[in-house]
Amino acid sequence: MDSRLWPLLAIHFIGTLGYSIAIPFLVFLVTDFGGDSVVYGFVGATYSACQLIGAPLLGRLSDRVGRTPVLVVSQLGTALAWLLFLVALYLPMDELMPLNARATLTVPLLFVFLARALDGVTGGNVSVANALVADLTVGNAEARGQAFARMGIAASLGMVLGPALAGLLGGTSWGYTLPVVGAGVLALAASVLVLVLLREPEKRCPEPAEPPGNAIAAVGAQVKDCSRSPEATPRVDLTKLPGIPALIGAAFVQLLAFNLFYSSFPIFAAQGLGWDVGSLGGFFALMSVSMIVAQGPLLDRLTPTWSPSAIFALGQASLAVAFVLMMTGETWLVLVASIAFAVGNGLGWPTFQALVADRSPDEAQGAVQGAVTSAMSFASIVGLLVGGFLYPTLGTGLFVLCAVLFALMGVATPWLWREPRDPQEQPVVVPQS
């Protein structure tokens, strides 16, 4: 693997670790500050909604001024969001307005919303990170697929270790303070890693130019040769890029199915299977470990002999089977389903990300990744809200819908991987005003 990817993997791991630290205690924090389960759902939706806005903005900005400065500034934004969280812990519980019959907006709860909103906007930097992976793997399809798989492994490790770290830090007499401080420190550490270790790929700097006089370009000396003035960077109409609208739609469908699962399975586990918190945690731990294996050794074994489209189709089939197994309600089959789910996700998603990068023109890599991330964020909002609303009515029938969505993605594989009608077609450029 290209050694230039290691800093990016470390940054992705740290970012996911910092995000996942909040998972075990956020629902209790919201409740303590006057909210309820409905408000908690809106807190989660706030993050996704703001990421939907931030991802395309950051992606396009990184096309213009460089990936590194945007990553640094966005990581600093995440650190500031955790500072707002920390402030919320020590604010008085003054009531501002009722939210519903059981919840009240208090000053600390308002700060939690603001923190999640800021973290969501800056969390759109996943589009910038994906664009940088694409920049570093130009001309090597196999390396690109493996790089996105390694990014998935880094995220999976962060999701496994984050809640465990939160449990250790939150179990002290400091309560929520230490996990929040820990997440903020991790965000700052990621900023330092970006600034010190990451460099813009040389291919993005064909003609060295003086940096524009803005704060982003001044973040580090390594940025100056890669910063571009707005006039020098064309604006690409993504709807006219061959195959890109279909890939954005495919990203939405996949993330919709994933989030329907994440919103409904905990309820199913508690009510249908009789699981407690420990059992549910074990299920997700098994899934995360299996995903690491799928994204690493299994994908490495298949890549030399299987086509990317075949690997993606296998992943979608495995995901569809996983949801069929979950519907049985048999504990051992549900555990098998967690492995099938992890294998499907571990094979399918990195392969899909590599396809998106392959089909995106170099000058619009960040813009396309931003649009895909926005589609994912919108799918998260819809999936989390619709899943929670439909489960009481449909029950495990919701898993049928998930299986159908992934089966449709499998059937659509040849269409997604088909070559554009005119591979030489140039992106449609709209002059900057």
Side-chain angles (χ1 to χ4, degrees):
M1 186 178 68
D2 191 330
S3 60
R4 295 175 297 174
L5 288 170
W6 284 108
L8 197 56
L9 294 178
I11 293 160
H12 202 49
F13 167 73
I14 289 175
T16 308
L17 183 66
Y19 168 79
S20 64
I21 281 178
I23 292 175
F25 68 83
L26 185 57
V27 63
F28 301 106
L29 193 66
V30 169
T31 303
D32 291 348
F33 287 163
D36 60 3
S37 59
V38 175
V39 174
Y40 172 70
F42 276 100
V43 168
T46 296
Y47 178 91
S48 297
C50 291
Q51 189 181 55
L52 184 150
I53 297 171
L57 295 177
L58 294 177
R60 287 184 181 275
L61 186 60
S62 75
D63 286 335
R64 292 167 53 181
V65 304
R67 316 293 188 209
T68 306
V70 175
L71 282 173
V72 172
V73 173
S74 58
Q75 285 297 146
L76 291 174
T78 297
L80 179 59
W82 284 110
L83 179 60
L84 290 176
F85 252 109
L86 186 62
V87 171
L89 297 179
Y90 295 94
L91 289 173
M93 286 286 293
D94 294 339
E95 297 183 358
L96 298 177
M97 58 180 291
L99 296 175
N100 57 47
R102 301 179 305 276
T104 301
L105 179 63
T106 62
V107 172
L109 187 56
L110 175 62
F111 269 69
V112 170
F113 270 105
L114 292 174
R116 295 310 285 166
L118 177 58
D119 199 14
V121 170
T122 57
N125 65 10
V126 66
S127 63
V128 183
N130 288 340
L132 186 52
V133 171
D135 292 338
L136 294 172
T137 54
V138 169
N140 191 332
E142 182 175 334
R144 177 168 283 176
Q146 291 177 342
F148 279 114
R150 297 299 185 271
M151 291 282 282
I153 292 174
S156 296
L157 285 173
M159 289 299 292
V160 171
L161 296 179
L165 184 60
L168 291 175
L169 296 177
T172 68
S173 59
W174 289 87
Y176 300 133
T177 300
L178 279 185
V180 171
V181 171
V185 169
L186 287 171
L188 287 174
S191 302
V192 173
L193 279 176
V194 174
L195 188 60
V196 174
L197 298 180
L198 280 185
R199 297 292 184 271
E200 292 289 322
E202 292 181 4
K203 79 170 195 65
R204 300 196 71 245
C205 317
E207 297 179 3
E210 290 301 316
N214 56 48
I216 292 179
V219 170
Q222 73 271 29
V223 176
K224 66 178 183 180
D225 289 338
C226 300
S227 299
R228 304 176 181 180
S229 65
E231 294 78 11
T233 305
R235 179 179 297 168
V236 178
D237 185 349
L238 300 183
T239 63
K240 302 296 177 59
L241 293 178
I244 294 302
L247 294 177
I248 293 173
F252 175 85
V253 172
Q254 292 175 80
L255 265 293
L256 175 62
F258 282 131
N259 282 281
L260 287 173
F261 162 73
Y262 284 117
S263 65
S264 59
F265 184 81
I267 305 173
F268 167 67
Q271 298 179 359
L273 301 177
W275 287 4
D276 56 15
V277 174
S279 299
L280 188 58
F283 173 86
F284 282 110
L286 174 62
M287 182 182 293
S288 297
V289 172
S290 301
M291 200 174 301
I292 291 171
V293 174
Q295 292 165 331
L298 182 56
L299 190 58
D300 287 346
R301 175 65 66 89
L302 293 178
T303 298
T305 55
W306 288 48
S307 68
S309 59
I311 293 174
F312 178 79
L314 176 62
Q316 303 311 294
S318 183
L319 285 163
V321 169
F323 284 103
V324 173
L325 294 176
M326 288 179 196
M327 292 179 58
T328 64
E330 295 288 337
T331 298
W332 72 275
L333 286 177
V334 172
L335 294 178
V336 173
S338 74
I339 298 174
F341 182 98
V343 169
N345 190 8
L347 294 180
W349 188 246
T351 308
F352 178 79
Q353 288 180 301
L355 176 64
V356 172
D358 289 340
R359 294 290 167 85
S360 305
D362 292 341
E363 67 271 25
Q365 190 69 242
V368 174
Q369 295 291 348
V372 169
T373 303
S374 285
M376 294 162 55
S377 298
F378 184 55
S380 297
I381 297 170
V382 174
L384 291 173
L385 296 180
V386 171
F389 177 76
L390 289 181
Y391 183 82
T393 302
L394 298 180
T396 55
L398 200 57
F399 296 157
V400 175
L401 176 58
C402 295
V404 169
L405 290 174
F406 283 120
L408 289 174
M409 290 305 306
V411 172
T413 299
W415 180 58
L416 294 174
W417 257 264
R418 79 192 191 286
E419 289 295 327
R421 296 176 186 174
D422 181 7
Q424 302 302 318
E425 182 178 346
Q426 296 298 315
V428 176
V429 176
V430 179
Q432 296 277 339
S433 57

